[in-house]
């Protein structure tokens, strides 16, 4: 639980440092990209620190392409 608090504090500090710079330069697209990326990374880091079950993206890719692989194998044999 303490690591989640550390992750939130580091994320807020990063936001405090970067937000004024991006606003001052009027880089609004970069600001939205930064906010989305920071949010996703903070959420994933908190999930890891709380030892939640996270799925591996490669498992999803393998699940999606397994039927195609079997089909190609049966066509070639």
């Amino acid at each position: 639980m303490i690591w989640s608090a550390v992750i939130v504090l580091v994320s807020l500090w990063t936001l405090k440092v970067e937000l004024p710079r991006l606003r001052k330069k009027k880089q609004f697209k970069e600001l939205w990209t930064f906010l989305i990326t920071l949010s996703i990374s903070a959420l994933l880091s908190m999930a890891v620190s709380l030892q939640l079950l996270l799925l591996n993206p490669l498992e999803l890719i393998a699940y999606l392409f397994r039927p195609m692989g079997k089909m190609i194998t049966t066509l070639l044999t």
Side-chain angles (χ1 to χ4, degrees), residues 11 13 20 75:
S11 297
W13 179 78
L75 287 173

Side-chain angles (χ1 to χ4, degrees), residues 2 5 22 35 37 44 55-56 59 62 67 69:
I2 189 89
L22 292 172
L35 288 174
T37 306
L44 287 174
L55 298 177
N56 185 350
E59 292 174 5

Side-chain angles (χ1 to χ4, degrees), residues 54-66:
L54 295 176
L55 298 177
N56 185 350
L58 290 177
E59 292 174 5
L60 175 65
I61 293 170
Y63 176 76
L64 292 174
F65 286 104
R66 190 171 294 124

Side-chain angles (χ1 to χ4, degrees), residues 5 10-11 20 22 24 26 30 33 37-39 41 44 51-52 56-57 60 63 65 69 71 74:
V10 169
S11 297
L22 292 172
K24 184 178 178 182
K26 298 188 187 293
E30 290 82 358
T33 304
T37 306
L38 182 66
S39 300
S41 63
L44 287 174
Q51 298 178 351
L52 297 177
N56 185 350
L60 175 65
Y63 176 76
F65 286 104
M71 182 182 69
T74 56

